[in-house]
Amino acid sequence: MSGGAVEARTTVAAVFKAACPDCRGCFELAAGALRLAIGASHRTTFYSFTCPDCGVSVRKPAGERIVELLTGGGVSTLRLHSSV
């Protein structure tokens, strides 16, 4: 048989460990449960999610490594622009 080989790939969904500062619950979240906002500075770059245990909206700062992990894992990203 000539031609290129067909390669089968299995995609594994990314799961991220997170914790709630309110109820102190620890859990795993799929990429779709997280949102990442990238701003002009470290103060405006954060990720957020809703705690599956208590329902509170959680927002945490995201440094370069966290941004890299979340974007690589398929988390929805919003780029914030400052008005000039």
Side-chain angles (χ1 to χ4, degrees):
M1 195 174 187
S2 64
V6 176
E7 183 178 317
R9 293 186 183 190
T10 303
T11 303
V12 177
V15 176
F16 300 92
K17 290 185 180 183
C20 176
D22 278 19
C23 71
R24 302 199 186 278
C26 293
F27 38 82
E28 292 183 341
L29 297 171
L34 295 152
R35 297 289 176 263
L36 174 63
I38 300 176
S41 72
H42 68 278
R43 288 184 173 187
T44 57
T45 300
F46 60 91
Y47 66 99
S48 61
F49 59 89
T50 299
C51 176
D53 293 343
C54 70
V56 72
S57 180
V58 178
R59 178 174 160 168
K60 294 188 173 187
E64 288 181 34
R65 181 68 179 139
I66 297 293
V67 169
E68 182 180 313
L69 289 170
L70 294 178
T71 55
V75 171
S76 178
T77 302
L78 173 67
R79 295 205 180 265
L80 305 175
H81 299 281
S82 61
S83 57
V84 179

